[in-house]
Amino acid sequence: MTPKSALSISSSSRNSALPFAIELARTAGKKLTRWFGHTEVQTKPDGTTLTQADTEVDSFICTEIRTNFPEDQIISEEMNHSYSNKTANVWVIDPLDGTTNFSQGMPLWGVSIALLEHGQPTMAVLYFPTLNLLFHAEKGAGAFANGDRISTPMTSEVTRHSIFTCSAGAEPHYSLRVPAKKRTFGSATYELCMIASGQVLFSIVAKPKIWDLAAAWLLIN
């Protein structure tokens, strides 16, 4: 028996990665909001934060991908760090980026979904539920925020009004002497989306993993 999807997308969209990923990100976001600000916090062996929301939504996303795209492989932050079929398309999932923000009731957190073909991102969706902000991109088709096309300036003058972001873990490793002002938002994917939309000049992220970068990389490119 073929597993039944929990998503409400039309049958014509089930084999199309972008509409599927958009609906999947929105549904995952709705599930996350049930725990927002009132979930038990744990610390993973690498020192990062983990909640029940991370693991349950990771499992939900992976199950939906396996149901709708059974031939594809998956890398996700909490469930799958490797895959066996090296020639298959690969979904890269961060079910909850900004977990510490999420656990403390701060609104900057989101879901990141990317599809890799031949090792390169070709589709990306990033959704920040409390901001009602959804970014998406397909290779060669532009990048969008809530359906409006966005662009990143090719060159920008660095002034005292400019902003760059730096993750807390990166600060001890860099001594930056630039006139731009530093901000730390606690979500690598959100900070990278701000680069894509031209609000931030650059971002320094400490020891990023593939699920931190895959979707936002395509959005910026």
Side-chain angles (χ1 to χ4, degrees):
M1 180 180 293
T2 302
K4 184 177 180 181
S5 173
L7 302 184
S8 60
I9 59 175
S10 65
S11 58
S12 63
S13 296
R14 292 204 178 279
N15 295 320
S16 181
L18 181 59
F20 166 79
I22 289 174
E23 182 64 22
L24 182 58
R26 290 193 183 279
T27 305
K30 290 178 183 177
K31 290 180 176 292
L32 287 168
T33 56
R34 299 172 187 171
W35 286 283
F36 179 40
H38 51 82
T39 182
E40 184 178 347
V41 179
Q42 304 174 41
T43 301
K44 293 193 285 189
D46 64 0
T48 58
T49 304
L50 178 69
T51 70
Q52 182 184 4
D54 291 85
T55 54
E56 291 205 15
V57 173
D58 194 305
S59 178
F60 164 74
I61 292 173
C62 291
T63 297
E64 286 297 325
I65 293 171
R66 293 191 184 102
T67 298
N68 289 278
F69 295 85
E71 302 301 318
D72 292 355
Q73 302 286 293
I74 303 171
I75 292 177
S76 69
E77 182 175 12
E78 310 303 341
M79 305 289 291
N80 305 281
H81 288 184
S82 63
Y83 57 93
S84 56
N85 186 344
K86 303 302 181 182
T87 62
N89 294 341
V90 180
W91 294 77
V92 181
I93 308 303
D94 191 339
L96 174 51
D97 182 64
T99 301
T100 299
N101 287 354
F102 177 86
S103 69
Q104 301 303 311
M106 295 180 63
L108 292 181
W109 52 270
V111 181
S112 177
I113 299 173
L115 178 63
L116 275 59
E117 300 180 50
H118 306 292
Q120 296 295 316
T122 58
M123 185 280 303
V125 175
L126 302 105
Y127 180 47
F128 303 92
T130 61
L131 305 179
N132 190 29
L133 183 58
L134 188 142
F135 293 91
H136 80 267
E138 286 186 290
K139 185 177 180 180
F144 300 82
N146 288 348
D148 295 326
R149 184 180 290 271
I150 60 174
S151 61
T152 306
M154 294 300 293
T155 58
S156 296
E157 180 183 359
V158 180
T159 73
R160 65 186 183 88
H161 303 295
S162 304
I163 292 175
F164 75 95
T165 68
C166 182
S167 66
E171 292 185 37
H173 304 289
Y174 297 91
S175 177
L176 293 169
R177 293 180 175 85
V178 295
K181 294 182 178 180
K182 180 178 66 178
R183 298 289 185 265
T184 299
F185 294 114
S187 168
T189 56
Y190 178 77
E191 294 176 7
L192 295 172
C193 285
M194 293 302 96
I195 294 174
S197 59
Q199 295 166 284
V200 168
L201 288 183
F202 63 92
S203 181
I204 301 173
V205 183
K207 300 179 181 179
K209 304 295 192 297
I210 188 171
W211 45 80
D212 297 316
L213 300 178
W217 183 90
L218 180 61
L219 197 74
I220 292 171
N221 274 270

